[in-house]
Amino acid sequence: MKADKELKLRGKKKKLLDKIERPEENDETKIPKSKRKKKLGLFAKIFIIFILCLSLLFVIFNINYLTPAKMKEHMNAVFANFGNGGGYPYRFSSNNILSFQSFNLGDKVILTDSDVIILNSSANPVLSYKHSMSNPILKVSRDRLLLFDQGSTKAVILTQSGEVITFPNDDKIICADISDSGKSVIVTKTSKNKEEVNVYAFSGKKIMTWEKGDGYILDVALNSGGSLLGVALVDTEDAVETINVALFGVSNAKQKGYYQIKSSTLYDIAFLKANDLSVLCSNKIFVLNAKAELKAECEHPSITNLQLFADKNGHIINTYSQYNNGEFNVDVYNASLEKIYTKQCDNEVVRVYSDGNTLVSLYSNHTADVNMLKGKVTYSAKFDIDPIFVLCNSRQVFACANGSVEKVKAVKQ
């Protein structure tokens, strides 16, 4: 018995020793990884994560261009926008400036009676496009320009890289608009005096047509996504001049609704944020929903409006002289027509501009006031030139006169 027990104990002891000794033997046969290989593996993981983060950021910042055609156009415009200019002031040759607008996150666009000039952030003229239009009108979207000859037949779409679409049109153009999605709308009068509304896709392909019945088309507007079309017409009903505003779904060309305004003169129609349409008239402002139902309205303090327009953030700006005595006020409304800001101007106003956050008032004495819509501090800028147009990006103010663009940083008064 004792011998059997001793044999069992020896067997267990041997197994235990084997277990203890085996890992040591295995460790001796392993080839340890070098520190260099470990570092390379870590760097490879970091590099892959970095590339993935860059790809995600690229998708986020270029979400609107994620189709081959849009991406190609966008990248062509980006590369065309490179290059350093001589800075401001920028001099150019022109006898008549028709508009001066902001474009594509920092670029400035000048429309003259013979040219369209796009300046990048360093005042490099990345595009100088010659036109021969008698009455050129320029509409600006997020990254495209629609240039058309009102009363004639030509219409083109431009970017920093040049002309990207020429519309095949033989009829006289009445009005037009372009959306941030790249869709555009052109209203024409045919040789038989019929007025026709045509909507075009990003590619320039016609996707909707509507032929007007009674009345005359005054203006059109597309919402940011290009899904809604607003058409303003004027007609006479019971011997009273009436403005009819109709809303259409672009995808099916069906009318969603219409709204009538009597005894008023139309200034402009423009989509605000979401799908609300502002109708800016001589005596009132109206805001309609996507079915052309009235959401809000308000009367003007004065029947004399120097400027009445909607900015890119859905604010409505009204500049007026209440008693027509040379003293001007600027009122700013939100999309619900609640007055969120008002300013009494100390000098004669030439022009007012809003970038959505900042309001700049240009005066006849070559100065401008800059006010944040959410603040009470006034900043001031003085120009060497005699400007007729003004733009702003926060406290950076850009003034344009015939032959020159000047940049000035506004300072606290």
Side-chain angles (χ1 to χ4, degrees), residues 6 24 48 91 95 122 126 129 165 195 218 227 239 246-247 258 279 305-306 313 362 364 384 387 407:
E6 284 180 7
E24 292 178 0
I48 291 169
R91 312 289 182 187
N95 296 322
S122 64
V126 296
Y129 177 84
I165 292 176
E195 294 181 2
L218 298 175
S227 59
L247 277 168
Y258 73 95
V279 185
N305 303 293
L306 176 68
N313 279 2
L362 176 65
S364 58
D384 294 328
K407 177 183 176 181

Side-chain angles (χ1 to χ4, degrees), residues 29 40 76 88 93 116 119 123 177 306 311 365 369 390-391:
T29 57
L40 286 173
N76 286 342
Y88 293 96
S93 177
V116 176
L119 302 177
D177 193 27
L306 176 68
D311 71 16
N365 62 356
D369 281 348
V390 68
L391 300 173

Side-chain angles (χ1 to χ4, degrees), residues 27-45:
D27 286 344
E28 288 175 2
T29 57
K30 278 185 180 178
I31 301 173
K33 286 185 178 179
S34 68
K35 290 183 178 180
R36 187 178 178 185
K37 285 185 178 179
K38 287 181 180 179
K39 284 183 179 179
L40 286 173
L42 180 61
F43 285 134
K45 288 178 182 178

Side-chain angles (χ1 to χ4, degrees), residues 303-315:
I303 60 171
T304 305
N305 303 293
L306 176 68
Q307 270 184 279
L308 183 60
F309 66 95
D311 71 16
K312 65 180 182 180
N313 279 2
H315 301 121

Side-chain angles (χ1 to χ4, degrees), residues 32 65 70 80 89 173 210 239 248 252 266 283 293 354 369 384-385:
Y65 310 105
K70 287 186 177 183
I173 300 172
W210 178 71
F248 296 85
N252 55 18
L266 181 73
N283 57 346
E293 299 166 336
S354 169
D369 281 348
D384 294 328
I385 60 175

Side-chain angles (χ1 to χ4, degrees), residues 4-281:
D4 291 339
K5 284 183 180 179
E6 284 180 7
L7 283 171
K8 286 181 180 178
L9 286 172
R10 285 176 185 175
K12 287 181 180 180
K13 187 176 179 182
K14 188 175 183 302
K15 285 181 181 179
L16 184 61
L17 288 172
D18 287 343
K19 286 182 180 179
I20 294 170
E21 290 172 1
R22 197 174 295 125
E24 292 178 0
E25 291 172 2
N26 290 340
D27 286 344
E28 288 175 2
T29 57
K30 278 185 180 178
I31 301 173
K33 286 185 178 179
S34 68
K35 290 183 178 180
R36 187 178 178 185
K37 285 185 178 179
K38 287 181 180 179
K39 284 183 179 179
L40 286 173
L42 180 61
F43 285 134
K45 288 178 182 178
I46 293 172
F47 180 74
I48 291 169
I49 292 170
F50 178 71
I51 294 296
L52 289 173
C53 289
L54 282 181
S55 301
L56 180 61
L57 287 172
F58 181 81
V59 169
I60 290 171
F61 287 109
N62 295 277
I63 193 73
N64 298 297
Y65 310 105
L66 296 184
T67 65
K70 287 186 177 183
M71 183 56 71
K72 181 181 177 182
E73 182 178 306
H74 176 59
M75 296 311 297
N76 286 342
V78 168
F79 286 120
N81 212 26
F82 287 156
N84 292 321
Y88 293 96
Y90 172 78
R91 312 289 182 187
F92 60 99
S93 177
S94 172
N95 296 322
N96 188 19
I97 299 175
L98 303 176
S99 74
F100 179 53
Q101 302 184 60
S102 288
F103 173 57
N104 201 24
L105 301 177
D107 288 0
K108 304 292 177 284
V109 186
I110 307 163
L111 172 64
T112 76
D113 53 2
S114 59
D115 297 270
V116 176
I117 303 168
I118 300 178
L119 302 177
N120 69 6
S121 57
S122 64
N124 182 38
V126 296
L127 178 69
S128 185
Y129 177 84
K130 292 284 183 184
H131 70 79
S132 56
M133 299 182 181
S134 301
N135 188 23
I137 307 264
L138 189 69
K139 296 286 185 175
V140 177
S141 71
R142 177 176 50 227
D143 51 10
R144 280 179 157 194
L145 307 173
L146 172 60
L147 177 68
F148 65 94
D149 196 358
Q150 190 176 54
S152 190
T153 61
K154 188 170 184 181
V156 297
I157 286 179
L158 308 170
T159 69
Q160 289 92 337
S161 59
E163 186 178 304
V164 293
I165 292 176
T166 300
F167 291 97
N169 175 54
D170 296 322
D171 299 321
K172 292 183 178 179
I173 300 172
I174 299 171
C175 53
D177 193 27
I178 187 167
S179 71
D180 284 343
S181 69
K183 292 178 183 176
S184 52
V185 55
I186 298 176
V187 180
T188 58
K189 180 181 283 189
T190 68
S191 57
K192 297 180 180 179
N193 283 330
K194 291 183 178 180
E195 294 181 2
E196 192 173 82
V197 179
N198 291 303
V199 180
Y200 299 87
F202 179 88
S203 63
K205 179 183 176 181
K206 190 184 295 185
I207 56 175
M208 173 186 160
T209 297
W210 178 71
E211 192 173 289
K212 171 202 68 66
D214 297 330
Y216 301 92
I217 297 175
L218 298 175
D219 199 8
V220 286
L222 284 167
N223 69 346
S224 180
S227 59
L228 275 179
L229 168 69
V231 181
L233 307 96
V234 64
D235 202 354
T236 301
E237 187 173 308
D238 299 328
V240 177
E241 189 172 273
T242 302
I243 298 168
N244 293 313
V245 180
L247 277 168
F248 296 85
V250 171
S251 61
N252 55 18
K254 288 186 178 180
Q255 184 172 312
K256 290 178 170 288
Y258 73 95
Y259 188 78
Q260 284 192 335
I261 301 167
K262 293 189 176 182
S263 302
S264 189
T265 302
L266 181 73
Y267 280 15
D268 191 18
I269 60 172
F271 278 96
L272 308 177
K273 285 188 173 181
N275 296 325
D276 292 342
L277 180 71
S278 63
V279 185
L280 311 178
C281 297

Side-chain angles (χ1 to χ4, degrees), residues 330-344:
V330 183
D331 293 339
V332 181
Y333 301 87
N334 62 17
S336 301
L337 295 186
E338 298 167 339
K339 191 186 293 185
I340 61 170
Y341 181 84
T342 188
K343 177 181 177 60
Q344 291 183 335

